[in-house]
Amino acid sequence: MIPMSLSFSPSLLQQHWLNLNPMPNSLLPQPWRQWLLDTGSLTQNLKELAPNRFSVRVLHTGFTRPSLSEARSLNIAFCQQVYVREVALCIDGQPHIYARSIIPRSTLTGAERQLLFLRNKPLGEFLFRHKSMHRGPIEVKQGQVNQHAIWARRSIFYVNDKPLLVSEYFLPSLFLIK
């Protein structure tokens, strides 16, 4: 059963994100390296890995404050309300990746307002179809989410020069998909 919200270990929350270019092999071994440093669409990669078996399960959406790390990354005030979307990316209904998106209110204007209404549609499809999208550097870290040992990555996407932060937490079960 998938929890209704993500539970991050205190050590994961306190650990700094690493932005190293290039990322040392000793820090980020295979097969994690391939998934974490890929700059293409994670949604597309999962659909290719398991054709017709991919789904998105929404765990939580709503307005709240970002974490201090998220606010700093987006260069916004910690007290600013942001739209948070937490989902599980599933194969055959089983979660293999948790994703947490932080969208500042200033991003949710014009055409980007539709980000409020994605429901169980993948954010990645919206982002990678957008002609003006570009992605900032990928940062990584290791820790625990919902009592699972994970590697995580995050990066800022810009759509029409409006930022949103996407963090993805990869469960080891990803490597067991057949």
Side-chain angles (χ1 to χ4, degrees):
M1 182 169 152
I2 298 174
M4 292 311 292
S5 65
L6 301 179
S7 174
F8 299 93
S9 68
S11 63
L12 179 66
L13 294 174
Q14 294 167 4
Q15 183 182 1
H16 293 287
W17 290 88
L18 300 174
N19 179 5
L20 304 174
N21 192 8
M23 188 66 63
N25 284 331
S26 60
L27 177 67
L28 194 57
Q30 288 292 356
W32 295 104
R33 183 178 196 81
Q34 173 186 342
W35 283 96
L36 294 170
L37 300 182
D38 185 278
T39 58
S41 168
L42 177 60
T43 299
Q44 188 59 42
N45 290 343
L46 290 169
K47 286 182 172 186
E48 289 172 6
L49 179 65
N52 302 313
R53 297 165 43 209
F54 171 79
S55 63
V56 174
R57 186 171 306 167
V58 177
L59 304 175
H60 169 78
T61 61
F63 284 92
T64 189
R65 290 191 329 201
S67 72
L68 186 56
S69 174
E70 292 164 341
R72 285 182 178 154
S73 182
L74 286 164
N75 198 27
I76 60 174
F78 171 67
C79 61
Q80 179 178 327
Q81 292 281 303
V82 295
Y83 183 71
V84 175
R85 180 176 188 250
E86 295 177 344
V87 301
L89 304 181
C90 303
I91 303 294
D92 297 327
Q94 296 300 312
H96 296 286
I97 298 167
Y98 292 108
R100 177 175 163 91
S101 303
I102 307 299
I103 309 172
R105 281 189 187 267
S106 60
T107 297
L108 296 168
T109 58
E112 289 70 46
R113 186 158 170 73
Q114 66 187 300
L115 291 169
L116 292 169
F117 308 103
L118 288 176
R119 295 188 180 92
N120 64 346
K121 293 180 185 164
L123 174 61
E125 286 183 355
F126 172 86
L127 293 173
F128 283 90
R129 276 193 274 180
H130 207 285
K131 290 179 177 32
S132 75
M133 185 279 285
H134 66 278
R135 182 183 204 162
I138 293 174
E139 300 175 306
V140 300
K141 71 171 157 177
Q142 188 177 25
Q144 284 194 334
V145 172
N146 295 347
Q147 301 175 348
H148 295 281
I150 56 94
W151 274 95
R153 73 175 184 180
R154 77 175 183 182
S155 53
I156 297 177
F157 290 84
Y158 298 88
V159 179
N160 292 325
D161 295 320
K162 298 177 197 175
L164 61 129
L165 178 65
V166 177
S167 302
E168 297 154 329
Y169 303 87
F170 295 75
L171 301 178
S173 62
L174 178 65
F175 304 113
L176 303 176
I177 297 172
K178 294 179 178 156

